[in-house]
PDB file of all heavy atoms in Angstrom:
ATOM      1  N   VAL B 307     -32.000  19.496-157.262  1.00 89.00           N
ATOM      2  CA  VAL B 307     -33.289  19.533-156.584  1.00 89.00           C
ATOM      3  C   VAL B 307     -33.496  18.407-155.677  1.00 89.00           C
ATOM      4  O   VAL B 307     -33.903  18.585-154.494  1.00 89.00           O
ATOM      5  CB  VAL B 307     -34.347  19.583-157.670  1.00 89.00           C
ATOM      6  CG1 VAL B 307     -35.793  19.285-157.013  1.00 89.00           C
ATOM      7  CG2 VAL B 307     -34.394  20.814-158.487  1.00 89.00           C
ATOM      8  N   VAL B 308     -33.026  17.204-156.096  1.00 89.00           N
ATOM      9  CA  VAL B 308     -33.212  15.996-155.204  1.00 89.00           C
ATOM     10  C   VAL B 308     -32.312  16.184-153.997  1.00 89.00           C
ATOM     11  O   VAL B 308     -32.825  15.842-152.847  1.00 89.00           O
ATOM     12  CB  VAL B 308     -32.828  14.756-155.953  1.00 89.00           C
ATOM     13  CG1 VAL B 308     -32.706  13.563-155.035  1.00 89.00           C
ATOM     14  CG2 VAL B 308     -33.864  14.404-157.017  1.00 89.00           C
ATOM     15  N   VAL B 309     -31.133  16.538-154.145  1.00 89.00           N
ATOM     16  CA  VAL B 309     -30.175  16.829-153.008  1.00 89.00           C
ATOM     17  C   VAL B 309     -30.788  17.833-152.045  1.00 89.00           C
ATOM     18  O   VAL B 309     -30.694  17.654-150.925  1.00 89.00           O
ATOM     19  CB  VAL B 309     -28.820  17.128-153.481  1.00 89.00           C
ATOM     20  CG1 VAL B 309     -27.942  17.610-152.349  1.00 89.00           C
ATOM     21  CG2 VAL B 309     -28.146  15.987-154.229  1.00 89.00           C
ATOM     22  N   SER B 310     -31.314  18.879-152.613  1.00 89.00           N
ATOM     23  CA  SER B 310     -31.804  19.939-151.838  1.00 89.00           C
ATOM     24  C   SER B 310     -33.135  19.453-151.039  1.00 89.00           C
ATOM     25  O   SER B 310     -33.163  19.775-149.819  1.00 89.00           O
ATOM     26  CB  SER B 310     -32.240  21.196-152.665  1.00 89.00           C
ATOM     27  OG  SER B 310     -31.160  21.687-153.355  1.00 89.00           O
ATOM     28  N   ALA B 311     -33.927  18.692-151.730  1.00 89.00           N
ATOM     29  CA  ALA B 311     -35.093  18.064-151.128  1.00 89.00           C
ATOM     30  C   ALA B 311     -34.651  17.155-149.920  1.00 89.00           C
ATOM     31  O   ALA B 311     -35.206  17.222-148.783  1.00 89.00           O
ATOM     32  CB  ALA B 311     -35.895  17.415-152.040  1.00 89.00           C
ATOM     33  N   LEU B 312     -33.599  16.282-150.186  1.00 90.00           N
ATOM     34  CA  LEU B 312     -33.175  15.440-149.139  1.00 90.00           C
ATOM     35  C   LEU B 312     -32.613  16.220-147.949  1.00 90.00           C
ATOM     36  O   LEU B 312     -32.762  15.897-146.744  1.00 90.00           O
ATOM     37  CB  LEU B 312     -32.078  14.459-149.703  1.00 90.00           C
ATOM     38  CG  LEU B 312     -32.594  13.328-150.567  1.00 90.00           C
ATOM     39  CD1 LEU B 312     -31.449  12.629-151.257  1.00 90.00           C
ATOM     40  CD2 LEU B 312     -33.367  12.385-149.686  1.00 90.00           C
ATOM     41  N   ALA B 313     -31.865  17.282-148.306  1.00 89.00           N
ATOM     42  CA  ALA B 313     -31.286  18.147-147.156  1.00 89.00           C
ATOM     43  C   ALA B 313     -32.410  18.713-146.246  1.00 89.00           C
ATOM     44  O   ALA B 313     -32.320  18.769-145.141  1.00 89.00           O
ATOM     45  CB  ALA B 313     -30.447  19.288-147.798  1.00 89.00           C
ATOM     46  N   VAL B 314     -33.460  19.260-147.002  1.00 89.00           N
ATOM     47  CA  VAL B 314     -34.572  19.814-146.322  1.00 89.00           C
ATOM     48  C   VAL B 314     -35.291  18.675-145.387  1.00 89.00           C
ATOM     49  O   VAL B 314     -35.535  18.936-144.250  1.00 89.00           O
ATOM     50  CB  VAL B 314     -35.609  20.367-147.330  1.00 89.00           C
ATOM     51  CG1 VAL B 314     -36.912  20.593-146.505  1.00 89.00           C
ATOM     52  CG2 VAL B 314     -35.120  21.551-148.002  1.00 89.00           C
ATOM     53  N   VAL B 315     -35.387  17.444-146.006  1.00 89.00           N
ATOM     54  CA  VAL B 315     -35.880  16.398-145.179  1.00 89.00           C
ATOM     55  C   VAL B 315     -35.107  16.060-143.967  1.00 89.00           C
ATOM     56  O   VAL B 315     -35.577  15.967-142.863  1.00 89.00           O
ATOM     57  CB  VAL B 315     -36.114  15.096-146.083  1.00 89.00           C
ATOM     58  CG1 VAL B 315     -36.548  13.939-145.248  1.00 89.00           C
ATOM     59  CG2 VAL B 315     -37.304  15.354-147.073  1.00 89.00           C
ATOM     60  N   VAL B 316     -33.745  15.983-144.195  1.00 89.00           N
ATOM     61  CA  VAL B 316     -32.915  15.709-143.119  1.00 89.00           C
ATOM     62  C   VAL B 316     -33.013  16.749-142.065  1.00 89.00           C
ATOM     63  O   VAL B 316     -33.075  16.519-140.789  1.00 89.00           O
ATOM     64  CB  VAL B 316     -31.345  15.567-143.570  1.00 89.00           C
ATOM     65  CG1 VAL B 316     -30.432  15.659-142.390  1.00 89.00           C
ATOM     66  CG2 VAL B 316     -31.236  14.287-144.364  1.00 89.00           C
ATOM     67  N   VAL B 317     -33.147  18.130-142.433  1.00 88.00           N
ATOM     68  CA  VAL B 317     -33.245  19.166-141.444  1.00 88.00           C
ATOM     69  C   VAL B 317     -34.511  19.000-140.656  1.00 88.00           C
ATOM     70  O   VAL B 317     -34.566  19.127-139.472  1.00 88.00           O
ATOM     71  CB  VAL B 317     -33.185  20.551-142.118  1.00 88.00           C
ATOM     72  CG1 VAL B 317     -33.596  21.639-141.131  1.00 88.00           C
ATOM     73  CG2 VAL B 317     -31.766  20.751-142.668  1.00 88.00           C
ATOM     74  N   ILE B 318     -35.586  18.730-141.402  1.00 89.00           N
ATOM     75  CA  ILE B 318     -36.887  18.537-140.805  1.00 89.00           C
ATOM     76  C   ILE B 318     -36.895  17.385-139.719  1.00 89.00           C
ATOM     77  O   ILE B 318     -37.341  17.493-138.594  1.00 89.00           O
ATOM     78  CB  ILE B 318     -38.002  18.335-141.783  1.00 89.00           C
ATOM     79  CG1 ILE B 318     -38.239  19.619-142.541  1.00 89.00           C
ATOM     80  CG2 ILE B 318     -39.289  17.909-141.037  1.00 89.00           C
ATOM     81  CD1 ILE B 318     -39.205  19.430-143.787  1.00 89.00           C
ATOM     82  N   LEU B 319     -36.324  16.311-140.172  1.00 89.00           N
ATOM     83  CA  LEU B 319     -36.213  15.132-139.268  1.00 89.00           C
ATOM     84  C   LEU B 319     -35.334  15.440-138.095  1.00 89.00           C
ATOM     85  O   LEU B 319     -35.602  14.966-136.889  1.00 89.00           O
ATOM     86  CB  LEU B 319     -35.613  13.898-140.017  1.00 89.00           C
ATOM     87  CG  LEU B 319     -36.638  13.144-140.982  1.00 89.00           C
ATOM     88  CD1 LEU B 319     -35.857  12.107-141.798  1.00 89.00           C
ATOM     89  CD2 LEU B 319     -37.750  12.633-140.240  1.00 89.00           C
ATOM     90  N   THR B 320     -34.166  16.239-138.336  1.00 86.00           N
ATOM     91  CA  THR B 320     -33.371  16.608-137.150  1.00 86.00           C
ATOM     92  C   THR B 320     -34.142  17.316-136.188  1.00 86.00           C
ATOM     93  O   THR B 320     -34.061  17.112-134.915  1.00 86.00           O
ATOM     94  CB  THR B 320     -32.118  17.294-137.680  1.00 86.00           C
ATOM     95  OG1 THR B 320     -31.407  16.497-138.727  1.00 86.00           O
ATOM     96  CG2 THR B 320     -31.300  17.726-136.498  1.00 86.00           C
ATOM     97  N   VAL B 321     -34.921  18.301-136.659  1.00 85.00           N
ATOM     98  CA  VAL B 321     -35.717  19.151-135.791  1.00 85.00           C
ATOM     99  C   VAL B 321     -36.714  18.331-134.984  1.00 85.00           C
ATOM    100  O   VAL B 321     -36.882  18.477-133.739  1.00 85.00           O
ATOM    101  CB  VAL B 321     -36.426  20.243-136.598  1.00 85.00           C
ATOM    102  CG1 VAL B 321     -37.460  20.991-135.656  1.00 85.00           C
ATOM    103  CG2 VAL B 321     -35.412  21.212-137.143  1.00 85.00           C
ATOM    104  N   LEU B 322     -37.427  17.424-135.667  1.00 86.00           N
ATOM    105  CA  LEU B 322     -38.344  16.477-135.030  1.00 86.00           C
ATOM    106  C   LEU B 322     -37.754  15.649-133.911  1.00 86.00           C
ATOM    107  O   LEU B 322     -38.166  15.450-132.854  1.00 86.00           O
ATOM    108  CB  LEU B 322     -38.984  15.644-136.059  1.00 86.00           C
ATOM    109  CG  LEU B 322     -40.078  16.315-136.950  1.00 86.00           C
ATOM    110  CD1 LEU B 322     -40.521  15.313-138.052  1.00 86.00           C
ATOM    111  CD2 LEU B 322     -41.185  16.725-136.171  1.00 86.00           C
ATOM    112  N   VAL B 323     -36.514  15.128-134.251  1.00 83.00           N
ATOM    113  CA  VAL B 323     -35.804  14.129-133.270  1.00 83.00           C
ATOM    114  C   VAL B 323     -35.435  15.032-132.068  1.00 83.00           C
ATOM    115  O   VAL B 323     -35.576  14.685-130.922  1.00 83.00           O
ATOM    116  CB  VAL B 323     -34.638  13.527-133.948  1.00 83.00           C
ATOM    117  CG1 VAL B 323     -33.749  12.848-132.806  1.00 83.00           C
ATOM    118  CG2 VAL B 323     -35.125  12.446-134.915  1.00 83.00           C
ATOM    119  N   LEU B 324     -34.856  16.306-132.373  1.00 83.00           N
ATOM    120  CA  LEU B 324     -34.434  17.077-131.204  1.00 83.00           C
ATOM    121  C   LEU B 324     -35.655  17.406-130.343  1.00 83.00           C
ATOM    122  O   LEU B 324     -35.667  17.462-129.140  1.00 83.00           O
ATOM    123  CB  LEU B 324     -33.752  18.403-131.796  1.00 83.00           C
ATOM    124  CG  LEU B 324     -32.369  18.195-132.284  1.00 83.00           C
ATOM    125  CD1 LEU B 324     -31.949  19.550-132.967  1.00 83.00           C
ATOM    126  CD2 LEU B 324     -31.447  17.662-131.238  1.00 83.00           C
ATOM    127  N   GLY B 325     -36.847  17.684-131.014  1.00 81.00           N
ATOM    128  CA  GLY B 325     -38.003  18.039-130.275  1.00 81.00           C
ATOM    129  C   GLY B 325     -38.547  16.894-129.383  1.00 81.00           C
ATOM    130  O   GLY B 325     -38.911  16.990-128.177  1.00 81.00           O
ATOM    131  N   LEU B 326     -38.366  15.679-129.949  1.00 80.00           N
ATOM    132  CA  LEU B 326     -38.765  14.496-129.234  1.00 80.00           C
ATOM    133  C   LEU B 326     -37.888  14.271-127.985  1.00 80.00           C
ATOM    134  O   LEU B 326     -38.287  13.897-126.914  1.00 80.00           O
ATOM    135  CB  LEU B 326     -38.766  13.217-130.083  1.00 80.00           C
ATOM    136  CG  LEU B 326     -39.905  13.029-131.090  1.00 80.00           C
ATOM    137  CD1 LEU B 326     -39.669  11.944-131.944  1.00 80.00           C
ATOM    138  CD2 LEU B 326     -41.187  12.805-130.237  1.00 80.00           C
ATOM    139  N   LEU B 327     -36.552  14.412-128.207  1.00 80.00           N
ATOM    140  CA  LEU B 327     -35.533  14.201-127.165  1.00 80.00           C
ATOM    141  C   LEU B 327     -35.845  15.306-126.063  1.00 80.00           C
ATOM    142  O   LEU B 327     -35.756  14.919-124.843  1.00 80.00           O
ATOM    143  CB  LEU B 327     -34.207  14.464-127.684  1.00 80.00           C
ATOM    144  CG  LEU B 327     -33.623  13.238-128.493  1.00 80.00           C
ATOM    145  CD1 LEU B 327     -32.290  13.606-129.095  1.00 80.00           C
ATOM    146  CD2 LEU B 327     -33.511  11.994-127.689  1.00 80.00           C
ATOM    147  N   ARG B 328     -36.059  16.437-126.459  1.00 78.00           N
ATOM    148  CA  ARG B 328     -36.442  17.481-125.423  1.00 78.00           C
ATOM    149  C   ARG B 328     -37.641  17.233-124.615  1.00 78.00           C
ATOM    150  O   ARG B 328     -37.744  17.213-123.409  1.00 78.00           O
ATOM    151  CB  ARG B 328     -36.499  18.857-126.142  1.00 78.00           C
ATOM    152  CG  ARG B 328     -36.823  19.919-125.175  1.00 78.00           C
ATOM    153  CD  ARG B 328     -37.020  21.290-125.946  1.00 78.00           C
ATOM    154  NE  ARG B 328     -37.427  22.340-125.076  1.00 78.00           N
ATOM    155  CZ  ARG B 328     -37.754  23.566-125.425  1.00 78.00           C
ATOM    156  NH1 ARG B 328     -37.786  23.837-126.672  1.00 78.00           N
ATOM    157  NH2 ARG B 328     -38.158  24.437-124.568  1.00 78.00           N
ATOM    158  N   SER B 329     -38.699  16.740-125.339  1.00 74.00           N
ATOM    159  CA  SER B 329     -39.969  16.307-124.683  1.00 74.00           C
ATOM    160  C   SER B 329     -39.775  15.162-123.667  1.00 74.00           C
ATOM    161  O   SER B 329     -40.214  15.213-122.602  1.00 74.00           O
ATOM    162  CB  SER B 329     -40.998  15.980-125.720  1.00 74.00           C
ATOM    163  OG  SER B 329     -42.098  15.399-125.177  1.00 74.00           O
ATOM    164  N   HIS B 330     -38.924  14.221-124.243  1.00 69.00           N
ATOM    165  CA  HIS B 330     -38.563  12.985-123.333  1.00 69.00           C
ATOM    166  C   HIS B 330     -37.816  13.538-122.059  1.00 69.00           C
ATOM    167  O   HIS B 330     -38.133  13.072-120.985  1.00 69.00           O
ATOM    168  CB  HIS B 330     -37.638  12.054-124.125  1.00 69.00           C
ATOM    169  CG  HIS B 330     -37.401  10.853-123.362  1.00 69.00           C
ATOM    170  ND1 HIS B 330     -38.332   9.922-123.038  1.00 69.00           N
ATOM    171  CD2 HIS B 330     -36.203  10.363-122.873  1.00 69.00           C
ATOM    172  CE1 HIS B 330     -37.824   8.825-122.424  1.00 69.00           C
ATOM    173  NE2 HIS B 330     -36.443   9.185-122.228  1.00 69.00           N
ATOM    174  N   GLY B 331     -36.899  14.425-122.278  1.00 68.00           N
ATOM    175  CA  GLY B 331     -36.123  15.016-121.127  1.00 68.00           C
ATOM    176  C   GLY B 331     -37.155  15.676-120.172  1.00 68.00           C
ATOM    177  O   GLY B 331     -36.957  15.547-118.901  1.00 68.00           O
ATOM    178  N   GLU B 332     -37.983  16.404-120.673  1.00 67.00           N
ATOM    179  CA  GLU B 332     -38.924  17.189-119.842  1.00 67.00           C
ATOM    180  C   GLU B 332     -39.777  16.174-119.027  1.00 67.00           C
ATOM    181  O   GLU B 332     -40.109  16.454-117.821  1.00 67.00           O
ATOM    182  CB  GLU B 332     -39.806  18.090-120.629  1.00 67.00           C
ATOM    183  CG  GLU B 332     -39.019  19.339-121.030  1.00 67.00           C
ATOM    184  CD  GLU B 332     -39.809  20.264-122.044  1.00 67.00           C
ATOM    185  OE1 GLU B 332     -40.917  19.796-122.458  1.00 67.00           O
ATOM    186  OE2 GLU B 332     -39.344  21.368-122.296  1.00 67.00           O
ATOM    187  N   MET B 333     -40.261  15.137-119.717  1.00 64.00           N
ATOM    188  CA  MET B 333     -41.113  14.186-118.986  1.00 64.00           C
ATOM    189  C   MET B 333     -40.290  13.488-117.892  1.00 64.00           C
ATOM    190  O   MET B 333     -40.795  13.207-116.732  1.00 64.00           O
ATOM    191  CB  MET B 333     -41.552  13.079-119.993  1.00 64.00           C
ATOM    192  CG  MET B 333     -42.787  13.554-120.745  1.00 64.00           C
ATOM    193  SD  MET B 333     -43.562  12.240-121.516  1.00 64.00           S
ATOM    194  CE  MET B 333     -42.363  11.704-122.775  1.00 64.00           C
ATOM    195  N   LEU B 334     -39.040  13.076-118.218  1.00 58.00           N
ATOM    196  CA  LEU B 334     -38.251  12.411-117.156  1.00 58.00           C
ATOM    197  C   LEU B 334     -38.012  13.428-115.920  1.00 58.00           C
ATOM    198  O   LEU B 334     -37.983  13.027-114.899  1.00 58.00           O
ATOM    199  CB  LEU B 334     -36.778  12.097-117.747  1.00 58.00           C
ATOM    200  CG  LEU B 334     -36.797  10.862-118.637  1.00 58.00           C
ATOM    201  CD1 LEU B 334     -35.377  10.639-119.198  1.00 58.00           C
ATOM    202  CD2 LEU B 334     -37.269   9.612-117.939  1.00 58.00           C
ATOM    203  N   ARG B 335     -37.785  14.703-116.265  1.00 57.00           N
ATOM    204  CA  ARG B 335     -37.578  15.635-115.180  1.00 57.00           C
ATOM    205  C   ARG B 335     -38.780  15.808-114.407  1.00 57.00           C
ATOM    206  O   ARG B 335     -38.763  15.900-113.119  1.00 57.00           O
ATOM    207  CB  ARG B 335     -37.173  17.025-115.800  1.00 57.00           C
ATOM    208  CG  ARG B 335     -36.674  17.993-114.757  1.00 57.00           C
ATOM    209  CD  ARG B 335     -35.886  19.156-115.310  1.00 57.00           C
ATOM    210  NE  ARG B 335     -36.550  19.842-116.399  1.00 57.00           N
ATOM    211  CZ  ARG B 335     -36.157  19.893-117.588  1.00 57.00           C
ATOM    212  NH1 ARG B 335     -35.014  19.245-117.915  1.00 57.00           N
ATOM    213  NH2 ARG B 335     -36.780  20.573-118.502  1.00 57.00           N
ATOM    214  N   ALA B 336     -39.955  15.791-115.017  1.00 53.00           N
ATOM    215  CA  ALA B 336     -41.286  15.898-114.332  1.00 53.00           C
ATOM    216  C   ALA B 336     -41.481  14.689-113.423  1.00 53.00           C
ATOM    217  O   ALA B 336     -41.899  14.807-112.272  1.00 53.00           O
ATOM    218  CB  ALA B 336     -42.456  16.110-115.293  1.00 53.00           C
TER     219      ALA B 336
END
Side-chain angles (χ1 to χ4, degrees):
Chain B
V307 169
V308 169
V309 169
S310 299
L312 285 173
V314 169
V315 168
V316 167
V317 168
I318 291 172
L319 285 174
T320 302
V321 169
L322 284 174
V323 168
L324 288 175
L326 283 171
L327 286 173
R328 182 181 173 188
S329 170
H330 183 67
E332 285 175 350
M333 280 195 296
L334 285 177
R335 190 162 54 245

